[in-house]
């Protein structure tokens, strides 16, 4: 498979996320939401007066694999079914079978100007020898593109997002063919480093993030559980 122009950047950002996901949230992170298995942490960080709070969410979802969670997060055709904060999304370039570039128009959140985003989105399976199941991940990372010109009044969002999933098989039956969905658990870590890309009231962004992220994770994971319920397991 030939290397495309973004292959080296993608490799670097994926490796950075694989390190970052292991960093503990015990110092300097606030637990801003806890609901069942879901825990959402945030660090308060501002850059030139703009809120760029890193967000880390841990969740365990029964009945699905990490591959299924990542697949539904990465695939274009499902996006508008679980994403409630978008006016539109489209693929503007395909770099390889696992890497595309999205251009998205986000719903305007008054009084801020409307945001748009342009990012490469890469899905990958990392087979680690010790565990029996591989780790699946998706990274969304802002990139400029000639087909996504920055056009006022829209403000370009800067996003660096990773969804990293491990699959646990509880009480594995002797024959792997006999694995049922009730044996499955997906341990998900979602990391979002988002710069709204221009002035927004910092209290506003923090409140929106505090409300939107847990809602988004809950809605997205419930959507995948519903979509996969009667389908063969995708390991
Ligand atoms: C305020 C904050 C929560 C930081 C926020 C504001 C906005 C801009 C528009 C917006 C959306 C929702 C609420 C307010 N403004 C977008 C996002 C955002 C962007 C991308 C992704 S993703 O995980 O890459 C899924 C791809 O569609 C998730 C969230 C976050």
């Amino acid at each position: 498979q030939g290397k495309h122009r973004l292959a080296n950047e993608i490799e670097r950002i994926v490796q950075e996320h694989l390190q970052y996901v292991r960093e503990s949230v015990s110092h300097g992170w606030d637990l801003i939401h806890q609901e069942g298995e879901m825990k959402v942490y945030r660090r308060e960080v501002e850059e030139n007066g703009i809120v760029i709070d890193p967000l880390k969410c841990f969740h365990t979802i029964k009945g699905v694999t990490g591959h299924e969670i990542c697949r539904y997060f990465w695939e274009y055709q499902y996006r508008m079914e679980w994403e409630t904060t978008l006016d539109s999304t489209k693929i503007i370039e395909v770099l390889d079978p696992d890497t595309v570039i999205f251009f998205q128009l986000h719903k305007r959140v008054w009084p801020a100007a409307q945001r748009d985003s342009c990012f490469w989105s890469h899905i990958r399976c990392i087979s680690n020898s010790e565990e029996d199941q591989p780790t699946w991940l998706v990274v969304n990372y802002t990139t400029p593109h000639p087909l996504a010109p920055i056009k006022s009044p829209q403000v370009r969002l800067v996003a660096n997002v990773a969804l990293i999933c491990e699959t646990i098989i509880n009480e594995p039956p002797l024959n792997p063919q006999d694995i049922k969905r009730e044996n499955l658990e997906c341990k998900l870590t979602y990391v979002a480093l988002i710069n709204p890309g221009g002035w927004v009231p910092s209290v506003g962004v923090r409140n929106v993030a505090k409300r939107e992220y847990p809602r988004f994770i809950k809605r997205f994971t419930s959507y995948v559980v519903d979509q996969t319920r009667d389908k063969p397991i995708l390991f």
Side-chain angles (χ1 to χ4, degrees):
Q1 186 72 21
K3 270 197 162 192
H4 51 74
R5 70 180 188 280
L6 292 174
N8 295 337
E9 176 178 275
I10 290 169
E11 201 50 43
R12 176 170 61 82
I13 302 299
V14 165
Q15 294 311 323
E16 276 178 18
H17 275 297
L18 286 170
Q19 298 310 318
Y20 190 65
V21 74
R22 292 192 185 90
E23 275 181 29
S24 142
V25 287
S26 47
H27 301 291
W29 292 79
D30 309 320
L31 177 64
I32 59 167
H33 186 89
Q34 180 161 11
E35 190 179 342
E37 295 291 313
M38 185 201 300
K39 289 193 175 121
V40 184
Y41 294 84
R42 169 175 69 195
R43 264 181 341 106
E44 296 208 355
V45 177
E46 297 197 10
E47 200 172 75
N48 316 322
I50 295 185
V51 169
I52 57 165
D53 300 350
L55 184 119
K56 238 180 182 184
C57 172
F58 302 97
H59 196 11
T60 301
I61 304 100
K62 293 192 181 329
V64 290
T65 65
H67 184 186
E68 289 170 333
I69 289 280
C70 285
R71 190 55 61 186
Y72 278 95
F73 186 73
W74 183 80
E75 293 282 354
Y76 159 75
Q77 66 264 33
Y78 307 117
R79 178 95 12 115
M80 292 309 278
E81 297 187 13
W82 55 266
E83 256 279 23
T84 56
T85 70
L86 293 180
D87 274 344
S88 65
T89 183
K90 68 177 173 181
I91 289 181
I92 53 176
E93 189 175 352
V94 176
L95 291 165
D96 70 28
D98 298 323
T99 315
V100 295
I101 297 183
F102 280 101
F103 177 67
Q104 304 199 143
L105 261 182
H106 296 259
K107 282 196 175 93
R108 183 167 176 219
V109 178
W110 188 85
Q114 182 168 38
R115 262 62 187 171
D116 63 22
S117 57
C118 179
F119 52 87
W120 52 256
S121 187
H122 175 68
I123 186 169
R124 180 181 301 192
C125 174
I126 314 241
S127 54
N128 30 20
S129 49
E130 62 273 11
E131 271 97 53
D132 52 349
Q133 289 298 317
T135 294
W136 277 86
L137 65 83
V138 176
V139 176
N140 292 341
Y141 190 82
T142 290
T143 191
H145 196 283
L147 293 180
I150 296 186
K151 219 165 37 198
S152 174
Q154 275 86 19
V155 172
R156 182 60 46 91
L157 192 75
V158 180
N160 177 4
V161 165
L163 178 65
I164 304 182
C165 296
E166 290 172 25
T167 305
I168 317 282
I169 298 178
N170 295 314
E171 300 148 32
L174 284 178
N175 183 338
Q177 261 78 3
D178 298 337
I179 294 176
K180 300 260 177 301
R181 285 202 175 274
E182 59 251 24
N183 304 122
L184 296 178
E185 247 182 1
C186 168
K187 280 191 171 314
L188 164 165
T189 304
Y190 172 82
V191 173
L193 306 166
I194 298 204
N195 181 325
W199 183 82
V200 276
S202 43
V203 170
V205 181
R206 287 198 164 112
N207 293 341
V208 162
K210 190 175 173 129
R211 186 184 69 237
E212 289 288 328
Y213 279 121
R215 243 174 73 184
F216 150 68
I217 296 288
K218 204 169 152 198
R219 180 184 170 89
F220 166 66
T221 52
S222 313
Y223 170 77
V224 178
V225 168
D226 291 344
Q227 290 296 310
T228 53
R229 191 183 307 282
D230 307 323
K231 290 193 175 78
I233 299 172
L234 179 64
F235 287 101

